[in-house]
Amino acid sequence: MSNEKTATMNTSKKTNNIQLVKNYINGKWIDSLGTNSVNVINPANKELIAKCPLGTKEDVNSAIAAAKEAYKSWRQTPVIDRVQILFKLKTLLEKHSDELAKLCTTENGKTLIESRGDVKRGIQMVETACGMPTLLMGKSLEDIASGIDCHAIRRPLGVFAAITPFNFPPMVPFWFWPFAVASGNTFILKPSERVPLTQVRVFELIEEAGMPKGVINLVNGGKEVVNSLCSHPDIAGVSFVGSTPVAKYVYQTATSHGKRVQALGGAKNFMVVLPDANIELSVKTVFESCTGCAGQRCLAGSVILCVGDVYSKFQEELIKKAKEAVVGNGLEPATNIGPIISEEARTRVKGLIQSAADEGAKILLDGRLGVENLSGYFLKPTVITEVKKDMRIAKEEVFGPVVCLSKVKTFDEAIEWLNSSEYGNTASLFTSSGAAARKFSYEVDPSMIGINIGVPAPMAFFSFGGTKASFFGDIKAHGQASADFYTDTKVTIERWVKDSSIW
Ligand code: NAD
């Protein structure tokens, strides 16, 4: 398979022709000390494409030692020189973006168009981190008292780590390390063991861009690696993205060891459709939000609250749209919806659909049917109506291509319902009223709001992250927030007494 060839040719040994992914520590590609591994499966055809080692505490210790050593000189490298490597990396990423996108589709399943977007959003992070000289600037004020001036500067803190999920293999690691490293810190990345290959290729490009050894390290693995990163005394802080239970666990473990933590968790995103919404636009946008990346996005819409009369028309158009969707291998250009990540994930989604039926909702279109002859972990789009607030399907994150519809009487009822969710990642409103849009933005809990937008993903220069059970920590990701998370502020207060012998 061509993607295997481009992925890890130079960096992984082969066991029975199956690549065993390597770690990248102190500028070298080395085998993990772990003896166990996880199968990396192409979810579109269930083919075994690689094995990901389950790294050990010792792997983490050597990565931390390398990063700690590299920090000594990296921290003293002028920021303007640090970002030159990111400029080079941006060019390399652009040059290899199609290759990275194919690799992403092969290990994750999403369509090629979605993978290209995934890579592009990652590159935008690198671009924004190239502006670190500006983002890192401090503040000064003269005469805070008579003849006394005060200067606040930002300083790096040491070694940071990120632990990332399976659903955006290229992009999510870029949410963190370019900002951390451009700020003068050194870094360890632990990608999802389910999709390690894209990051191997990214790290080859980081190496090619000329990153000094030890500045950024890659350690593959699972819980043991995570625990070691969260508890090691030489780790200054941890960025995490994944499900809410693990986000909470990482937050509690790492903060109890005195670290800074930003832990982005799971979501349950509501979308409200008002009677004055443009139906064509809102149906298209809602459907793409709920089923894009096979529903495996933390910003995916899930429960659609139609206010008043708009319900029947919306439902009718949505069903038409869902029936048109092409489900298949993401490498095929005609595919709209790829597979979901694993059989286990598919079984969980199927179970949630069943729970909706058991609790009295109506399965208007059942995506569990018609996929028997497809070779991968496919589900067709499912549309569930008459969803009620206390049903599991209305409360739990689905992470599959499922649209839930419910009719509510008033706009206030919709807002009250969505605010009762334990999660607070995103919420969207479809309307042609500015006043309704303002009320919505003002009154809803989630931190990322879409007005006639289905996936309100902030760009790299705005802060990213939710609230409630979707985020544990204080400082969010991206842009200026990254400069805050990855630096300490040092304040110097100065008084200089005039020496009359000189002037
Ligand atoms: P996950 O929580 O299973 O895994 C995330 C990371 O945590 C992986 O690197 C994994 O190795 C590690 N991990 C898993 N179980 C662990 C454990 N018991 N102890 C220690 N480490 C563990 O998440 P996933 O299935 O890879 O990703 C999907 C989830 O991520 C969804 O809930 C989605 O909403 C969330 N997500 C959130 C955002 C956001 O911005 N809030 C973005 C992307 C994904």
Side-chain angles (χ1 to χ4, degrees), residues 26 66-89 129-130 132-133 136 154-160 176-188 206-207 209-217 486-487:
N26 207 22
K68 198 178 169 189
E69 184 58 30
Y71 177 66
K72 290 177 193 162
S73 53
W74 186 245
R75 180 228 178 295
Q76 293 175 31
T77 305
V79 60
I80 202 77
D81 294 337
R82 294 196 297 249
V83 300
Q84 294 312 312
I85 299 168
L86 296 183
F87 279 113
K88 282 189 198 139
L89 178 64
C130 285
M132 224 58 193
L136 283 180
R154 293 173 182 277
R155 292 157 50 95
L157 282 154
V159 184
F160 276 84
F176 306 110
W177 78 257
F179 298 101
V181 161
S183 301
N185 302 286
T186 53
F187 210 84
I188 296 161
I206 294 171
E207 190 178 26
M211 192 67 84
K213 66 176 187 173
V215 171
I216 167 151
N217 305 275
Y486 291 120
T487 62

Short mmCIF file of all heavy atoms in Angstrom, two decimals, residues 26 66-89 129-130 132-133 136 154-160 176-188 206-207 209-217 486-487:
data_model
loop_
_atom_site.label_atom_id
_atom_site.label_comp_id
_atom_site.label_asym_id
_atom_site.label_seq_id
_atom_site.Cartn_x
_atom_site.Cartn_y
_atom_site.Cartn_z
N ASN A 26 15.94 12.80 21.47
CA ASN A 26 17.26 13.44 21.35
C ASN A 26 17.78 13.42 19.91
O ASN A 26 18.97 13.15 19.67
CB ASN A 26 18.26 12.75 22.30
CG ASN A 26 19.36 13.71 22.71
OD1 ASN A 26 19.18 14.92 22.64
ND2 ASN A 26 20.49 13.17 23.11
N ALA A 66 16.58 14.27 27.65
CA ALA A 66 17.03 14.94 26.42
C ALA A 66 16.44 16.35 26.34
O ALA A 66 17.13 17.31 25.99
CB ALA A 66 16.62 14.12 25.21
N ALA A 67 15.16 16.45 26.66
CA ALA A 67 14.48 17.76 26.56
C ALA A 67 15.04 18.73 27.60
O ALA A 67 15.20 19.93 27.33
CB ALA A 67 12.98 17.57 26.76
N LYS A 68 15.37 18.21 28.77
CA LYS A 68 15.90 19.06 29.84
C LYS A 68 17.29 19.60 29.43
O LYS A 68 17.60 20.76 29.65
CB LYS A 68 16.01 18.23 31.12
CG LYS A 68 16.13 19.06 32.36
CD LYS A 68 16.19 18.20 33.60
CE LYS A 68 16.59 19.04 34.79
NZ LYS A 68 16.87 18.22 35.96
N GLU A 69 18.08 18.74 28.85
CA GLU A 69 19.42 19.15 28.41
C GLU A 69 19.31 20.19 27.27
O GLU A 69 19.99 21.21 27.28
CB GLU A 69 20.19 17.89 27.94
CG GLU A 69 21.62 18.11 27.53
CD GLU A 69 22.49 18.73 28.63
OE1 GLU A 69 22.21 18.49 29.83
OE2 GLU A 69 23.43 19.48 28.28
N ALA A 70 18.42 19.89 26.31
CA ALA A 70 18.26 20.80 25.16
C ALA A 70 17.74 22.16 25.60
O ALA A 70 18.04 23.19 24.98
CB ALA A 70 17.31 20.17 24.14
N TYR A 71 16.97 22.17 26.66
CA TYR A 71 16.37 23.43 27.15
C TYR A 71 17.44 24.47 27.48
O TYR A 71 17.25 25.67 27.25
CB TYR A 71 15.51 23.12 28.38
CG TYR A 71 14.89 24.34 29.02
CD1 TYR A 71 13.94 25.10 28.36
CD2 TYR A 71 15.28 24.76 30.31
CE1 TYR A 71 13.38 26.23 28.94
CE2 TYR A 71 14.73 25.89 30.89
CZ TYR A 71 13.77 26.61 30.21
OH TYR A 71 13.22 27.74 30.79
N LYS A 72 18.60 23.98 27.98
CA LYS A 72 19.64 24.92 28.44
C LYS A 72 20.03 25.89 27.31
O LYS A 72 20.14 27.09 27.53
CB LYS A 72 20.89 24.15 28.89
CG LYS A 72 20.68 23.37 30.16
CD LYS A 72 21.95 22.58 30.49
CE LYS A 72 21.70 21.55 31.56
NZ LYS A 72 22.75 20.51 31.60
N SER A 73 20.25 25.36 26.10
CA SER A 73 20.67 26.27 25.03
C SER A 73 19.47 26.81 24.24
O SER A 73 19.51 27.93 23.73
CB SER A 73 21.66 25.58 24.10
OG SER A 73 21.10 24.37 23.65
N TRP A 74 18.41 26.01 24.12
CA TRP A 74 17.23 26.46 23.37
C TRP A 74 16.61 27.69 24.01
O TRP A 74 16.22 28.64 23.34
CB TRP A 74 16.21 25.32 23.31
CG TRP A 74 15.02 25.61 22.45
CD1 TRP A 74 13.73 25.74 22.85
CD2 TRP A 74 15.01 25.80 21.02
NE1 TRP A 74 12.91 25.99 21.78
CE2 TRP A 74 13.68 26.04 20.64
CE3 TRP A 74 16.00 25.78 20.03
CZ2 TRP A 74 13.31 26.26 19.32
CZ3 TRP A 74 15.63 26.02 18.72
CH2 TRP A 74 14.30 26.25 18.38
N ARG A 75 16.59 27.70 25.32
CA ARG A 75 16.01 28.82 26.06
C ARG A 75 16.79 30.11 25.78
O ARG A 75 16.26 31.20 25.81
CB ARG A 75 16.08 28.46 27.56
CG ARG A 75 15.55 29.47 28.51
CD ARG A 75 16.55 29.68 29.63
NE ARG A 75 16.10 30.70 30.58
CZ ARG A 75 15.94 31.97 30.27
NH1 ARG A 75 16.11 32.39 29.05
NH2 ARG A 75 15.58 32.84 31.20
N GLN A 76 18.11 29.96 25.49
CA GLN A 76 18.95 31.14 25.22
C GLN A 76 19.01 31.49 23.73
O GLN A 76 19.63 32.48 23.34
CB GLN A 76 20.38 30.89 25.71
CG GLN A 76 20.45 30.77 27.21
CD GLN A 76 21.85 30.41 27.69
OE1 GLN A 76 22.84 30.76 27.06
NE2 GLN A 76 21.91 29.67 28.77
N THR A 77 18.40 30.65 22.90
CA THR A 77 18.36 30.95 21.46
C THR A 77 17.34 32.06 21.24
O THR A 77 16.19 31.94 21.70
CB THR A 77 17.91 29.68 20.69
OG1 THR A 77 18.79 28.62 21.04
CG2 THR A 77 17.93 29.88 19.20
N PRO A 78 17.71 33.15 20.58
CA PRO A 78 16.74 34.23 20.39
C PRO A 78 15.46 33.73 19.72
O PRO A 78 15.53 32.88 18.82
CB PRO A 78 17.50 35.22 19.49
CG PRO A 78 18.94 34.94 19.77
CD PRO A 78 19.03 33.46 20.03
N VAL A 79 14.35 34.27 20.14
CA VAL A 79 13.06 33.81 19.60
C VAL A 79 13.02 33.96 18.08
O VAL A 79 12.43 33.14 17.37
CB VAL A 79 11.87 34.52 20.31
CG1 VAL A 79 11.93 36.04 20.12
CG2 VAL A 79 10.54 33.99 19.82
N ILE A 80 13.65 34.98 17.58
CA ILE A 80 13.65 35.23 16.14
C ILE A 80 14.36 34.07 15.42
O ILE A 80 13.99 33.71 14.30
CB ILE A 80 14.29 36.62 15.85
CG1 ILE A 80 13.84 37.15 14.51
CG2 ILE A 80 15.78 36.64 15.98
CD1 ILE A 80 12.45 37.69 14.53
N ASP A 81 15.35 33.46 16.07
CA ASP A 81 16.02 32.30 15.48
C ASP A 81 15.18 31.03 15.68
O ASP A 81 15.14 30.16 14.81
CB ASP A 81 17.41 32.09 16.11
CG ASP A 81 18.35 33.24 15.76
OD1 ASP A 81 18.10 33.92 14.74
OD2 ASP A 81 19.31 33.47 16.52
N ARG A 82 14.53 30.95 16.82
CA ARG A 82 13.70 29.76 17.07
C ARG A 82 12.61 29.64 16.00
O ARG A 82 12.33 28.55 15.50
CB ARG A 82 13.07 29.84 18.47
CG ARG A 82 14.09 29.77 19.61
CD ARG A 82 13.45 29.47 20.95
NE ARG A 82 12.53 30.47 21.44
CZ ARG A 82 12.74 31.27 22.50
NH1 ARG A 82 13.87 31.16 23.19
NH2 ARG A 82 11.83 32.13 22.89
N VAL A 83 12.00 30.78 15.67
CA VAL A 83 10.88 30.68 14.72
C VAL A 83 11.33 30.45 13.27
O VAL A 83 10.52 30.05 12.44
CB VAL A 83 9.90 31.88 14.80
CG1 VAL A 83 9.29 31.99 16.18
CG2 VAL A 83 10.54 33.18 14.38
N GLN A 84 12.62 30.67 12.99
CA GLN A 84 13.08 30.39 11.62
C GLN A 84 12.84 28.92 11.27
O GLN A 84 12.54 28.57 10.13
CB GLN A 84 14.57 30.72 11.45
CG GLN A 84 14.91 32.20 11.57
CD GLN A 84 14.01 33.08 10.75
OE1 GLN A 84 13.76 32.83 9.56
NE2 GLN A 84 13.47 34.12 11.38
N ILE A 85 12.99 28.05 12.28
CA ILE A 85 12.79 26.61 12.03
C ILE A 85 11.30 26.35 11.73
O ILE A 85 10.97 25.51 10.89
CB ILE A 85 13.28 25.80 13.24
CG1 ILE A 85 14.78 26.06 13.43
CG2 ILE A 85 13.01 24.31 13.07
CD1 ILE A 85 15.35 25.56 14.74
N LEU A 86 10.45 27.10 12.38
CA LEU A 86 9.01 26.92 12.11
C LEU A 86 8.66 27.42 10.70
O LEU A 86 7.80 26.85 10.03
CB LEU A 86 8.17 27.65 13.16
CG LEU A 86 8.29 27.12 14.59
CD1 LEU A 86 7.35 27.88 15.52
CD2 LEU A 86 7.98 25.63 14.67
N PHE A 87 9.30 28.51 10.28
CA PHE A 87 9.07 28.97 8.90
C PHE A 87 9.45 27.87 7.91
O PHE A 87 8.73 27.59 6.96
CB PHE A 87 9.90 30.23 8.60
CG PHE A 87 9.29 31.52 9.11
CD1 PHE A 87 9.89 32.24 10.13
CD2 PHE A 87 8.12 32.01 8.56
CE1 PHE A 87 9.34 33.43 10.60
CE2 PHE A 87 7.55 33.20 9.01
CZ PHE A 87 8.17 33.92 10.04
N LYS A 88 10.62 27.22 8.18
CA LYS A 88 11.07 26.15 7.27
C LYS A 88 10.08 24.98 7.34
O LYS A 88 9.74 24.38 6.32
CB LYS A 88 12.46 25.66 7.69
CG LYS A 88 13.55 26.58 7.25
CD LYS A 88 14.93 25.95 7.49
CE LYS A 88 15.99 27.03 7.46
NZ LYS A 88 17.02 26.90 8.46
N LEU A 89 9.65 24.67 8.54
CA LEU A 89 8.72 23.54 8.71
C LEU A 89 7.41 23.81 7.96
O LEU A 89 6.86 22.92 7.31
CB LEU A 89 8.43 23.30 10.20
CG LEU A 89 7.44 22.18 10.48
CD1 LEU A 89 7.98 20.82 10.02
CD2 LEU A 89 7.10 22.11 11.97
N ALA A 129 2.42 30.47 15.31
CA ALA A 129 3.55 30.39 16.26
C ALA A 129 4.78 31.11 15.71
O ALA A 129 5.66 31.51 16.47
CB ALA A 129 3.87 28.93 16.58
N CYS A 130 4.84 31.31 14.39
CA CYS A 130 5.94 32.09 13.81
C CYS A 130 5.86 33.54 14.30
O CYS A 130 6.83 34.28 14.23
CB CYS A 130 5.89 32.08 12.28
SG CYS A 130 6.44 30.52 11.58
N MET A 132 5.50 34.41 17.32
CA MET A 132 5.80 34.39 18.76
C MET A 132 6.62 35.61 19.23
O MET A 132 6.42 36.06 20.36
CB MET A 132 6.52 33.08 19.11
CG MET A 132 6.01 32.44 20.37
SD MET A 132 4.25 32.10 20.29
CE MET A 132 3.93 31.75 21.98
N PRO A 133 7.52 36.16 18.40
CA PRO A 133 8.22 37.35 18.89
C PRO A 133 7.25 38.42 19.36
O PRO A 133 7.50 39.09 20.36
CB PRO A 133 9.03 37.81 17.67
CG PRO A 133 9.29 36.56 16.91
CD PRO A 133 8.05 35.73 17.08
N LEU A 136 5.09 37.07 22.55
CA LEU A 136 5.85 36.92 23.80
C LEU A 136 6.20 38.25 24.45
O LEU A 136 6.75 38.27 25.55
CB LEU A 136 7.16 36.17 23.52
CG LEU A 136 7.08 34.66 23.33
CD1 LEU A 136 8.47 34.10 23.06
CD2 LEU A 136 6.47 33.97 24.55
N ARG A 154 8.04 37.68 29.68
CA ARG A 154 7.61 36.28 29.68
C ARG A 154 8.84 35.40 29.53
O ARG A 154 9.69 35.66 28.67
CB ARG A 154 6.71 36.02 28.48
CG ARG A 154 5.38 36.72 28.56
CD ARG A 154 4.68 36.49 27.23
NE ARG A 154 3.42 37.18 27.19
CZ ARG A 154 2.29 36.70 27.71
NH1 ARG A 154 2.28 35.52 28.31
NH2 ARG A 154 1.17 37.38 27.62
N ARG A 155 8.90 34.35 30.32
CA ARG A 155 10.03 33.41 30.24
C ARG A 155 9.51 31.99 30.10
O ARG A 155 8.49 31.65 30.69
CB ARG A 155 10.85 33.49 31.52
CG ARG A 155 11.59 34.81 31.71
CD ARG A 155 11.89 35.03 33.16
NE ARG A 155 12.52 33.86 33.75
CZ ARG A 155 13.85 33.69 33.86
NH1 ARG A 155 14.66 34.63 33.46
NH2 ARG A 155 14.33 32.60 34.41
N PRO A 156 10.24 31.17 29.34
CA PRO A 156 9.82 29.77 29.24
C PRO A 156 9.97 29.08 30.59
O PRO A 156 10.65 29.59 31.49
CB PRO A 156 10.80 29.19 28.21
CG PRO A 156 12.00 30.09 28.26
CD PRO A 156 11.48 31.46 28.61
N LEU A 157 9.37 27.92 30.71
CA LEU A 157 9.35 27.24 32.01
C LEU A 157 10.13 25.94 32.03
O LEU A 157 10.40 25.40 33.09
CB LEU A 157 7.89 26.96 32.40
CG LEU A 157 7.14 28.18 32.94
CD1 LEU A 157 5.66 28.02 32.72
CD2 LEU A 157 7.43 28.35 34.42
N GLY A 158 10.46 25.38 30.86
CA GLY A 158 11.21 24.11 30.87
C GLY A 158 10.65 23.11 29.88
O GLY A 158 10.47 23.42 28.71
N VAL A 159 10.33 21.92 30.37
CA VAL A 159 9.88 20.85 29.48
C VAL A 159 8.35 20.70 29.60
O VAL A 159 7.82 20.52 30.69
CB VAL A 159 10.55 19.51 29.86
CG1 VAL A 159 10.14 18.42 28.87
CG2 VAL A 159 12.06 19.64 29.94
N PHE A 160 7.67 20.79 28.46
CA PHE A 160 6.22 20.58 28.42
C PHE A 160 5.91 19.28 27.67
O PHE A 160 6.74 18.77 26.90
CB PHE A 160 5.52 21.74 27.72
CG PHE A 160 5.27 22.91 28.64
CD1 PHE A 160 6.26 23.85 28.86
CD2 PHE A 160 4.05 23.06 29.29
CE1 PHE A 160 6.05 24.93 29.71
CE2 PHE A 160 3.82 24.14 30.13
CZ PHE A 160 4.82 25.08 30.34
N PHE A 176 -0.28 22.70 20.16
CA PHE A 176 0.53 22.92 21.35
C PHE A 176 2.01 23.17 21.08
O PHE A 176 2.52 24.23 21.40
CB PHE A 176 0.36 21.73 22.31
CG PHE A 176 -1.08 21.44 22.61
CD1 PHE A 176 -1.72 20.31 22.14
CD2 PHE A 176 -1.83 22.35 23.36
CE1 PHE A 176 -3.07 20.08 22.40
CE2 PHE A 176 -3.17 22.12 23.62
CZ PHE A 176 -3.80 20.97 23.14
N TRP A 177 2.69 22.15 20.49
CA TRP A 177 4.15 22.23 20.54
C TRP A 177 4.76 23.42 19.81
O TRP A 177 5.75 23.98 20.31
CB TRP A 177 4.80 20.89 20.13
CG TRP A 177 4.84 20.59 18.66
CD1 TRP A 177 4.04 19.74 17.97
CD2 TRP A 177 5.75 21.15 17.70
NE1 TRP A 177 4.36 19.74 16.66
CE2 TRP A 177 5.42 20.60 16.47
CE3 TRP A 177 6.81 22.06 17.77
CZ2 TRP A 177 6.10 20.92 15.29
CZ3 TRP A 177 7.48 22.39 16.60
CH2 TRP A 177 7.13 21.82 15.38
N PRO A 178 4.22 23.91 18.65
CA PRO A 178 4.89 25.06 18.01
C PRO A 178 4.92 26.28 18.93
O PRO A 178 5.91 27.01 18.97
CB PRO A 178 4.05 25.32 16.75
CG PRO A 178 3.39 24.01 16.47
CD PRO A 178 3.10 23.42 17.81
N PHE A 179 3.83 26.47 19.68
CA PHE A 179 3.77 27.62 20.59
C PHE A 179 4.74 27.43 21.76
O PHE A 179 5.44 28.36 22.16
CB PHE A 179 2.34 27.80 21.12
CG PHE A 179 1.35 28.09 20.02
CD1 PHE A 179 0.51 27.09 19.53
CD2 PHE A 179 1.26 29.36 19.47
CE1 PHE A 179 -0.39 27.35 18.50
CE2 PHE A 179 0.35 29.64 18.45
CZ PHE A 179 -0.47 28.63 17.97
N ALA A 180 4.77 26.21 22.29
CA ALA A 180 5.63 25.93 23.45
C ALA A 180 7.10 26.09 23.07
O ALA A 180 7.87 26.73 23.78
CB ALA A 180 5.37 24.51 23.95
N VAL A 181 7.46 25.51 21.93
CA VAL A 181 8.85 25.49 21.49
C VAL A 181 9.29 26.89 21.05
O VAL A 181 10.39 27.35 21.38
CB VAL A 181 9.00 24.41 20.39
CG1 VAL A 181 10.23 24.62 19.56
CG2 VAL A 181 9.00 23.01 21.03
N ALA A 182 8.41 27.62 20.35
CA ALA A 182 8.76 28.99 19.95
C ALA A 182 8.91 29.88 21.18
O ALA A 182 9.64 30.87 21.15
CB ALA A 182 7.70 29.55 19.01
N SER A 183 8.26 29.50 22.28
CA SER A 183 8.39 30.28 23.52
C SER A 183 9.68 29.97 24.26
O SER A 183 9.97 30.57 25.29
CB SER A 183 7.22 29.98 24.47
OG SER A 183 6.00 30.29 23.86
N GLY A 184 10.44 28.96 23.78
CA GLY A 184 11.73 28.65 24.42
C GLY A 184 11.70 27.40 25.28
O GLY A 184 12.70 27.05 25.90
N ASN A 185 10.55 26.73 25.33
CA ASN A 185 10.46 25.46 26.07
C ASN A 185 10.90 24.31 25.17
O ASN A 185 10.99 24.46 23.95
CB ASN A 185 9.01 25.20 26.49
CG ASN A 185 8.45 26.31 27.33
OD1 ASN A 185 8.80 26.46 28.50
ND2 ASN A 185 7.59 27.14 26.75
N THR A 186 11.12 23.16 25.77
CA THR A 186 11.32 21.95 24.98
C THR A 186 10.13 21.03 25.23
O THR A 186 9.31 21.29 26.12
CB THR A 186 12.67 21.29 25.31
OG1 THR A 186 12.75 21.09 26.71
CG2 THR A 186 13.82 22.17 24.86
N PHE A 187 10.02 19.94 24.44
CA PHE A 187 8.70 19.30 24.36
C PHE A 187 8.74 17.79 24.16
O PHE A 187 9.67 17.26 23.55
CB PHE A 187 7.96 19.92 23.17
CG PHE A 187 6.47 19.96 23.35
CD1 PHE A 187 5.88 20.99 24.06
CD2 PHE A 187 5.66 18.96 22.83
CE1 PHE A 187 4.50 21.04 24.25
CE2 PHE A 187 4.28 18.99 23.01
CZ PHE A 187 3.70 20.04 23.71
N ILE A 188 7.69 17.14 24.68
CA ILE A 188 7.50 15.71 24.43
C ILE A 188 6.05 15.50 23.97
O ILE A 188 5.11 15.96 24.64
CB ILE A 188 7.77 14.88 25.69
CG1 ILE A 188 9.25 15.03 26.07
CG2 ILE A 188 7.43 13.40 25.48
CD1 ILE A 188 9.59 14.68 27.45
N ILE A 206 10.04 17.74 10.86
CA ILE A 206 10.59 18.62 11.90
C ILE A 206 12.12 18.48 11.91
O ILE A 206 12.86 19.46 11.99
CB ILE A 206 10.01 18.27 13.29
CG1 ILE A 206 8.51 18.56 13.36
CG2 ILE A 206 10.75 19.02 14.40
CD1 ILE A 206 7.81 18.06 14.62
N GLU A 207 12.57 17.22 11.79
CA GLU A 207 14.01 16.94 11.76
C GLU A 207 14.64 17.63 10.54
O GLU A 207 15.66 18.30 10.64
CB GLU A 207 14.19 15.42 11.68
CG GLU A 207 15.60 14.93 11.87
CD GLU A 207 15.67 13.39 11.84
OE1 GLU A 207 14.80 12.75 11.21
OE2 GLU A 207 16.60 12.85 12.44
N ALA A 209 13.59 20.18 9.00
CA ALA A 209 13.57 21.64 9.13
C ALA A 209 14.74 22.15 9.97
O ALA A 209 14.99 23.36 10.02
CB ALA A 209 12.25 22.09 9.75
N GLY A 210 15.42 21.24 10.64
CA GLY A 210 16.62 21.64 11.38
C GLY A 210 16.41 21.88 12.86
O GLY A 210 17.20 22.60 13.49
N MET A 211 15.40 21.27 13.43
CA MET A 211 15.19 21.44 14.88
C MET A 211 16.35 20.80 15.64
O MET A 211 16.68 19.64 15.40
CB MET A 211 13.86 20.77 15.26
CG MET A 211 13.37 21.09 16.64
SD MET A 211 12.89 22.82 16.82
CE MET A 211 11.23 22.82 16.20
N PRO A 212 16.98 21.52 16.56
CA PRO A 212 18.10 20.92 17.31
C PRO A 212 17.64 19.69 18.11
O PRO A 212 16.48 19.62 18.55
CB PRO A 212 18.52 22.04 18.26
CG PRO A 212 18.00 23.29 17.66
CD PRO A 212 16.75 22.92 16.91
N LYS A 213 18.56 18.77 18.32
CA LYS A 213 18.21 17.52 19.01
C LYS A 213 17.68 17.81 20.42
O LYS A 213 18.16 18.73 21.09
CB LYS A 213 19.41 16.59 19.04
CG LYS A 213 20.57 17.08 19.86
CD LYS A 213 21.66 16.02 19.91
CE LYS A 213 22.72 16.50 20.90
NZ LYS A 213 23.74 15.57 21.20
N GLY A 214 16.69 17.03 20.80
CA GLY A 214 16.15 17.13 22.16
C GLY A 214 15.09 18.20 22.34
O GLY A 214 14.36 18.18 23.33
N VAL A 215 14.96 19.13 21.38
CA VAL A 215 13.98 20.21 21.57
C VAL A 215 12.56 19.67 21.51
O VAL A 215 11.69 20.04 22.29
CB VAL A 215 14.21 21.35 20.54
CG1 VAL A 215 13.07 22.37 20.59
CG2 VAL A 215 15.53 22.04 20.81
N ILE A 216 12.35 18.74 20.55
CA ILE A 216 11.03 18.09 20.51
C ILE A 216 11.20 16.59 20.33
O ILE A 216 11.99 16.14 19.50
CB ILE A 216 10.06 18.76 19.50
CG1 ILE A 216 8.85 17.86 19.27
CG2 ILE A 216 10.70 19.17 18.20
CD1 ILE A 216 7.60 18.60 18.92
N ASN A 217 10.50 15.85 21.16
CA ASN A 217 10.67 14.39 21.23
C ASN A 217 9.30 13.72 21.09
O ASN A 217 8.28 14.30 21.48
CB ASN A 217 11.27 14.01 22.58
CG ASN A 217 12.58 14.75 22.83
OD1 ASN A 217 13.64 14.32 22.41
ND2 ASN A 217 12.50 15.90 23.51
N TYR A 486 2.40 28.74 28.19
CA TYR A 486 3.77 28.20 28.10
C TYR A 486 4.84 29.13 28.66
O TYR A 486 6.03 28.86 28.46
CB TYR A 486 4.08 27.85 26.63
CG TYR A 486 3.28 26.66 26.14
CD1 TYR A 486 2.43 26.78 25.05
CD2 TYR A 486 3.37 25.42 26.77
CE1 TYR A 486 1.68 25.69 24.61
CE2 TYR A 486 2.62 24.34 26.33
CZ TYR A 486 1.78 24.48 25.25
OH TYR A 486 1.05 23.40 24.82
N THR A 487 4.45 30.21 29.35
CA THR A 487 5.47 31.08 29.94
C THR A 487 5.08 31.51 31.35
O THR A 487 3.91 31.52 31.72
CB THR A 487 5.68 32.38 29.12
OG1 THR A 487 4.46 33.12 29.10
CG2 THR A 487 6.14 32.10 27.70
#
